[in-house]
Amino acid sequence: MAFDLTIRNGRISNADATFEADIGIQQGRITAIAPGLPPGREDVDATGRWVLPGGIDSHCHIEQLSGMGVMCADDFYSGTVSAAFGGTTTILSFAAQHRNDSIPEVLADYHRRAAEKAVIDYGFHLILTHPDEQALREHLPRAVRDGISSLKVYMTYDRLKLDDYQLLDVMDTAGELGALVMMHAENHDMIRWVAHRLLERGHTAPRFHAVAHDALAETEATHRAIALARLIDVPVLIVHVAGRETVDVIRAAQKLGAPVLAESCPQYLFLEARNSDLAGMEGAKFCCSPPPRDADSQQAVWQGLLDGTLGVFSSDHAPYRFDASGKLPKGEATTFKEMANGVPGIELRLPLLFSEGVMSGRMSIEQFVALTATNHARLYGLAPRKGSIAVGADADIALWDPQRVVEVSAGLLHDNVGYTPYEGRRITGWPTMVFSRGRYVVRDGELLAARGSGEFIPRGRPGVLRTAASCARRGEFSELLGLKPACGCDHPD
Ligand code: DUC
Ligand code: ZN
Ligand code: ZN
């Protein structure tokens, strides 16, 4: 049977190898990878291009109400269009339960909105804020059965925070169900106490956000989250790692064999706390939680990505406009406590890392693919369908022009934010064609995918929960407490 599409003469990189070959695609799947394939009905010449798996962004906030009750600026249309223009073909965004919400209703609502608007494939992590018996015994198992095999919990924010007892309950249940727990690790009371003192003394400007969210608040909470994970041997993934000490704590725990994984994001490589020290409210454009820190922490995050301590590189795209709808609810009088928390990054995540990681010689192209696609797929139960260029996988592919130089400006981007914290930065290397399940999404700056053409991808058991290392839940302690193994096997001693 003839190929629907061929991508020929390109240089293909996966997480484990780079080679020259042609790709044959039928009905949205890759069915052949070999040199000299005959041209398909549509034939793309990829000479001079790097042919990479489409990026997977496993941490982004789309059409979501924040913990402070603010609707973010991107809906499932603008958010996925922006992702696609940056070379991303799958997103995992959040379906957020607020304290009194019914989980099935929350999930149905996100499904409905995403199905109507997304132009690339998507899945959800559940944000769990009210882990009562029904949530843990009925709703969470149902969500996992329906392909939502990860959840995020918070150690801070008044409206989202769980205490340690609740975190243990959630982690234990997630372990039993084979769901991965993502942790927002910051010490709530440290932040609250410092913020209160700052505001009392009239320190309200955006730059005080980073003072309130001291690096120690992140390090302490990360250490505690890891201790909880070790106590009951359930894996935990620390999201948006910002500070050097936090990277060190995670690396040390991993060396001890603790079930801890971690993620970082562009803002922790390319921004610093001092960026928010600008006149007026301008600094609000650089405020997210945890905040970017300093050059030393940037270095530590690079090192953590390179040595595998930090296994996934996501955007944490949290889009808020620089107006009353987002960053400035009280205009110039907005305090750092009142502005919406987060920075955009869904479109620039890959170009920034491609340019500063691969083109500058810091990391190999294979490492880039692992950090931006393959590891996300394995970790979150999307593999083998997503995350690699392989026979049988979805034809989610981005063609990169390594010579193209782009000067970043907000007007170039496709999100609905209106500014970018990376304004003026020069990037070398850009995705010029993006395919999702073998259909064009982006071709030379033009969007070709229709609204609503993205599909929900139900996910299986996250990779880390399938490995032998997570069989460690045994021994007297586990027996006494009736803890079940997180790997789902019967863990013979
Ligand atoms: N946590 C996130 O994951 N994103 C934006 C803000 C936050 O606190
Ligand atoms: Zn968070
Ligand atoms: Zn986030």
Side-chain angles (χ1 to χ4, degrees):
M1 195 167 66
F3 297 117
D4 302 326
L5 168 70
T6 42
I7 298 173
R8 299 189 309 132
N9 312 316
R11 184 150 64 130
I12 301 169
S13 286
N14 274 325
D16 57 356
T18 294
F19 51 96
E20 282 174 20
D22 301 340
I23 302 172
I25 293 153
Q26 290 168 312
Q27 295 179 344
R29 299 248 168 163
I30 297 171
T31 54
I33 302 176
L37 291 180
R41 275 190 286 279
E42 171 88 26
D43 185 43
V44 174
D45 181 10
T47 302
R49 300 286 181 262
W50 289 7
V51 181
L52 307 183
I56 299 174
D57 193 344
S58 58
H59 185 158
C60 47
H61 302 266
I62 307 291
E63 211 170 320
Q64 183 202 319
L65 270 187
S66 75
M68 288 158 67
V70 181
M71 177 51 84
C72 64
D74 279 311
D75 67 6
F76 281 99
Y77 184 71
S78 62
T80 55
V81 168
S82 184
F85 273 95
T88 290
T89 50
T90 305
I91 61 162
L92 299 178
S93 56
F94 295 93
Q97 180 201 33
H98 292 265
R99 295 262 196 235
N100 295 318
D101 292 347
S102 131
I103 291 173
E105 280 172 24
V106 167
L107 292 174
D109 182 39
Y110 277 87
H111 270 296
R112 185 182 48 71
R113 289 183 283 137
E116 212 174 273
K117 299 173 198 163
V119 304
I120 56 171
D121 293 347
Y122 58 90
F124 303 115
H125 316 284
L126 176 67
I127 289 179
L128 188 58
T129 57
H130 190 59
D132 60 5
E133 272 300 296
Q134 196 184 26
L136 295 178
R137 298 287 144 239
E138 189 186 328
H139 295 153
L140 208 47
R142 198 191 302 164
V144 174
R145 275 199 304 277
D146 292 344
I148 296 171
S149 53
S150 46
L151 59 143
K152 184 177 178 193
V153 284
Y154 286 78
M155 298 171 87
T156 187
Y157 294 118
D158 288 323
R159 298 209 239 169
L160 306 176
K161 171 188 186 301
L162 304 185
D163 62 30
D164 293 353
Y165 193 102
Q166 291 173 307
L167 291 173
L168 283 167
D169 265 349
V170 172
M171 291 162 86
D172 177 42
T173 306
E176 273 181 34
L177 294 173
L180 183 59
V181 177
M182 306 161 77
M183 189 74 75
H184 180 121
E186 287 187 287
N187 181 306
H188 184 64
D189 284 325
M190 282 187 187
I191 296 168
R192 209 159 64 89
W193 193 86
V194 177
H196 182 77
R197 282 286 265 256
L198 286 167
L199 294 174
E200 242 181 10
R201 299 162 71 83
H203 303 311
T204 61
R207 78 181 184 88
F208 294 106
H209 171 76
V211 179
H213 289 247
D214 190 89
L216 273 173
E218 183 195 11
T219 308
E220 185 285 323
T222 300
H223 189 272
R224 184 155 38 98
I226 293 170
L228 300 178
R230 290 177 66 194
L231 181 74
I232 60 171
D233 240 308
V234 169
V236 66
L237 188 145
I238 310 295
V239 291
H240 45 50
V241 171
R244 168 175 287 282
E245 272 196 56
T246 303
V247 179
D248 290 344
V249 162
I250 293 167
R251 185 182 291 112
Q254 289 172 342
K255 281 202 178 120
L256 287 174
V260 55
L261 303 143
E263 168 206 84
S264 197
C265 318
Q267 49 272 38
Y268 307 117
L269 292 180
F270 304 113
L271 302 179
E272 295 183 36
R274 66 190 171 87
N275 293 133
S276 62
D277 188 5
L278 294 171
M281 296 304 292
E282 222 23 48
K285 294 178 178 174
F286 301 86
C287 290
C288 58
S289 296
R293 305 211 184 274
D294 56 13
D296 183 49
S297 284
Q298 289 180 332
Q299 224 16 67
V301 171
W302 273 113
Q303 187 51 40
L305 291 167
L306 291 170
D307 69 21
T309 306
L310 309 170
V312 278
F313 185 72
S314 311
S315 69
D316 194 4
H317 181 71
Y320 298 101
R321 295 183 66 82
F322 192 60
D323 61 26
S325 71
K327 290 287 185 185
L328 308 175
K330 295 187 180 163
E332 293 287 310
T334 306
T335 71
F336 71 85
K337 262 314 217 192
E338 294 161 330
M339 63 195 181
N341 239 309
V343 292
I346 203 164
E347 192 161 342
L348 291 176
R349 172 184 72 119
L350 300 183
L352 283 166
L353 193 69
F354 190 91
S355 183
E356 295 304 314
V358 181
M359 296 308 288
S360 74
R362 276 196 181 97
M363 70 175 52
S364 68
I365 187 74
E366 293 87 358
Q367 279 177 307
F368 172 84
V369 171
L371 285 165
T372 57
T374 316
N375 291 355
H376 300 252
R378 291 185 182 146
L379 206 55
Y380 287 105
L382 286 162
R385 184 170 172 190
K386 303 283 190 191
S388 298
I389 294 182
V391 170
D394 281 359
D396 292 357
I397 296 170
L399 269 51
W400 285 73
D401 178 353
Q403 312 298 341
R404 176 124 171 237
V405 177
V406 172
E407 186 174 317
V408 173
S409 73
L412 190 88
L413 303 177
H414 299 80
D415 61 25
N416 187 34
V417 177
Y419 71 85
T420 166
Y422 307 104
E423 186 75 34
R425 186 178 270 274
R426 275 166 77 82
I427 286 180
T428 305
W430 200 261
T432 54
M433 279 191 203
V434 179
F435 300 90
S436 159
R437 284 178 280 106
R439 69 205 164 97
Y440 279 107
V441 182
V442 174
R443 183 174 59 196
D444 299 325
E446 198 187 346
L447 177 72
L448 296 179
R451 186 183 171 91
S453 60
E455 283 181 4
F456 172 69
I457 308 293
R459 293 179 290 120
R461 186 178 279 265
V464 62
L465 300 170
R466 274 191 250 116
T467 64
S470 58
C471 283
R473 257 184 144 187
R474 57 181 164 238
E476 198 189 358
F477 182 77
S478 297
E479 259 159 53
L480 284 172
L481 301 182
L483 302 178
K484 302 210 177 76
C487 55
C489 78
D490 54 8
H491 66 97
D493 280 322

